[in-house]
Amino acid sequence: MDYETLGKAGGISTTPGTPQWALAIKLKLQSVLKKDVVVNGEQLKAWRELMKQPAAYQQLLDEQGKPFNSYEELCRAQPPYGLGCEAKEIEELISSLELESTGTKTVDTPEDPVKDLGNPSNYFHKFSKLVEACPDNQALNAPKIGEILDYAHSTAQLWRKRWEHLGWLEQSKSSGRGFYQITESGKNAVKNWLEQQPEGKLNEELWVVVPKNPQKAAEKLIKSFKGEELREVYKLIGESFSQELTTFHSEME
């Protein structure tokens, strides 16, 4: 009882990298395996991805009171220490959930940038943008993170703290206080996550919010689209102007 209470008191939204956080993730996975809760494939996959990180499974102890050495070892250990299954069984369960009808009750995914700090999949989705924006491992600070994610400074600070606790960011030794660098652990976490994502769905947004200021709108479009996509936008805007001009001349005649 004390064991479960500790995990529920911490919750997934607590500080990543802490025993309470890791325990909360494990309890979520155990509940799904026991069919105590109903989730969708994406949610289970997100919990699985977090549990596979050393920052999670190394916080948990086996029957001998020693930290687990791997995610697979945690899976094979019997409850309450582990999940009591093979890792491939969780993969099979994820696949089956993804094939289920859309009528199944699922867990909602919040969209607000502050509220979704507790949503596991967002850790990887947003951090992958940082990795993509810093191919040469440039130093990062909160303003730079805010620029990449298009977030306010306070929200960028929240994400920075979460990733630092996970061990995906570390203080830069060459750029001074307040600057951070992406760790090898962070790069590997993103690499593993990207390899399991459906092709064509990586880092895609459903829409782009464009400012009314023409210059800022142009900067936003350039930042959000690839060259070929920008040419298509340019073509469509040109065609729109041509149609308006044709209509104007027709009305004048």
Side-chain angles (χ1 to χ4, degrees):
M1 181 62 68
D2 291 341
Y3 176 83
E4 291 200 2
T5 301
L6 176 62
K8 292 175 182 177
I12 286 182
S13 60
T14 193
T15 303
T18 61
Q20 292 85 355
W21 173 78
L23 180 55
I25 298 172
K26 186 175 72 171
L27 290 175
K28 291 284 188 183
L29 290 171
Q30 287 176 336
S31 296
V32 174
L33 292 170
K34 292 191 297 182
K35 303 187 185 303
D36 289 341
V37 298
V38 179
V39 298
N40 59 24
E42 283 300 312
Q43 187 70 74
L44 179 56
K45 185 188 297 183
W47 291 339
R48 183 277 315 273
E49 281 304 308
L50 284 184
M51 196 75 266
K52 287 175 68 175
Q53 303 308 311
Y57 65 73
Q58 288 180 353
Q59 295 290 337
L60 301 171
L61 305 179
D62 61 18
E63 192 172 0
Q64 284 73 43
K66 299 179 180 180
F68 286 102
N69 294 312
S70 67
Y71 163 72
E72 289 74 17
E73 185 179 301
L74 171 70
C75 288
R76 288 192 293 269
Q78 291 301 310
Y81 304 100
L83 302 179
C85 68
E86 292 294 330
K88 66 178 182 179
E89 294 180 48
I90 296 179
E91 303 304 315
E92 293 171 355
L93 180 56
I94 291 173
S95 298
S96 65
L97 287 172
E98 290 178 336
L99 292 175
E100 285 184 359
S101 66
T102 55
T104 302
K105 183 180 179 181
T106 59
V107 176
D108 294 331
T109 302
E111 295 296 334
D112 182 83
V114 176
K115 291 181 180 178
D116 69 6
L117 285 169
N119 183 356
S121 62
N122 281 301
Y123 286 87
F124 298 97
H125 177 73
K126 298 184 188 302
F127 195 73
S128 68
K129 294 185 177 182
L130 263 64
V131 174
E132 183 181 0
C134 302
D136 299 321
N137 206 24
Q138 298 98 323
L140 291 162
N141 57 7
K144 182 64 177 179
I145 294 173
E147 178 185 338
I148 294 172
L149 298 179
D150 198 18
Y151 282 164
H153 182 272
S154 58
T155 304
Q157 280 282 33
L158 289 174
W159 280 107
R160 192 272 301 163
K161 290 178 181 178
R162 293 273 168 139
W163 288 322
E164 186 180 7
H165 280 298
L166 275 173
W168 296 355
L169 288 179
E170 64 182 1
Q171 291 193 24
S172 173
K173 298 178 181 178
S174 58
S175 300
R177 186 176 181 180
F179 285 86
Y180 298 81
Q181 287 184 319
I182 298 171
T183 65
E184 287 302 316
S185 176
K187 292 177 183 178
N188 290 333
V190 168
K191 180 176 180 292
N192 293 335
W193 177 75
L194 289 174
E195 288 175 351
Q196 300 186 36
Q197 300 309 298
E199 187 176 353
K201 290 189 176 182
L202 299 179
N203 294 328
E204 291 185 358
E205 302 291 348
L206 295 177
W207 58 77
V208 175
V209 179
V210 180
K212 291 185 177 180
N213 181 288
Q215 181 177 347
K216 291 184 178 180
E219 292 173 354
K220 182 74 173 182
L221 290 172
I222 292 172
K223 180 180 177 181
S224 302
F225 292 95
K226 299 177 182 178
E228 184 177 339
E229 295 169 337
L230 280 173
R231 283 190 286 273
E232 182 67 19
V233 171
Y234 176 81
K235 177 184 176 183
L236 292 172
I237 292 175
E239 290 175 353
S240 177
F241 278 125
S242 297
Q243 291 176 359
E244 289 183 5
L245 187 60
T246 301
T247 302
F248 174 75
H249 284 309
S250 298
E251 291 177 350
M252 290 295 291
E253 294 174 356

